[in-house]
Amino acid sequence: MSTSSAYTLRNPPLPSVTVLPDNRLDKKKSSINHNKNLKRLGNVVELMEKKKFWVEAAVLDRLHYKYVNAHRLFPRFRVVAQARQLIKRFKSLKIDQVVTQFYLTFWNAKTLEKCQGPWNYIPTKEFAEYTMHRIISAVLVLDKLQAMLMKAYK
């Protein structure tokens, strides 16, 4: 990996090793409830599968194509066009795939249906950092998008 942070790169490389056996993690001595945190991560993965955000993004995209010729010079339309570009950037991050892949590593499984019962693996430090950097970059893009949409709304 390069010297710059992974969240500053457009397409950072995935770490070569993503899974370790869970015997490296002492689950009994730790005061952290790993099962509770893993359940919360599973809930996030389920929410991402519903894709309500992308329906709204498709409506915005359709409105842009419909009115681009008529309203091109209108300042609010330019702001919406910039918001559309931020949505494209957010889509290119594929954050739903990254979080799902991170969730799958706890069972070293290929599908979500196999993620049942006790987990036997943990993600490597590099893969956890990769996931966190991708989440940070998604949050930064969403913050810009929120500001842009609030500007268009006002």
Side-chain angles (χ1 to χ4, degrees):
M1 194 179 271
S2 66
T3 58
S4 63
S5 298
Y7 60 87
T8 61
L9 302 173
R10 278 275 175 171
N11 297 312
L14 191 66
S16 57
V17 179
T18 58
V19 180
L20 297 172
D22 73 341
N23 57 8
R24 292 182 157 206
L25 183 66
D26 189 5
K27 294 185 232 178
K28 293 177 182 158
K29 288 185 179 179
S30 179
S31 63
I32 302 170
N33 189 350
H34 296 293
N35 291 327
K36 179 182 170 189
N37 293 336
L38 192 59
K39 190 179 286 189
R40 288 176 60 196
L41 182 62
N43 291 339
V44 169
V45 170
E46 288 175 11
L47 283 174
M48 286 184 174
E49 287 181 355
K50 293 185 180 177
K51 301 183 188 263
K52 290 181 182 179
F53 175 80
W54 298 115
V55 173
E56 298 293 330
V59 169
L60 183 67
D61 201 37
R62 180 66 188 132
L63 286 173
H64 179 269
Y65 281 119
K66 187 173 182 180
Y67 297 115
V68 69
N69 289 331
H71 301 285
R72 181 176 312 175
L73 300 176
F74 191 53
R76 189 173 295 148
F77 188 78
R78 289 185 194 165
V79 171
V80 172
Q82 289 173 349
R84 191 172 150 264
Q85 292 297 321
L86 287 171
I87 290 172
K88 282 184 179 180
R89 185 177 294 175
F90 180 70
K91 190 173 189 175
S92 71
L93 288 173
K94 300 177 184 171
I95 196 68
D96 55 339
Q97 293 175 5
V98 172
V99 173
T100 302
Q101 190 175 14
F102 184 72
Y103 183 71
L104 292 173
T105 58
F106 286 95
W107 286 272
N108 199 16
K110 300 285 183 199
T111 62
L112 288 173
E113 291 81 29
K114 294 182 180 180
C115 297
Q116 295 180 4
W119 48 280
N120 300 323
Y121 299 91
I122 57 172
T124 61
K125 178 183 175 188
E126 293 82 15
F127 188 51
E129 287 177 354
Y130 169 82
T131 304
M132 284 305 299
H133 285 298
R134 295 297 279 192
I135 291 171
I136 289 169
S137 61
V139 167
L140 293 174
V141 170
L142 286 175
D143 282 345
K144 287 181 183 178
L145 178 63
Q146 181 184 18
M148 201 64 61
L149 291 175
M150 290 300 289
K151 183 178 177 183
Y153 179 73
K154 290 180 181 178

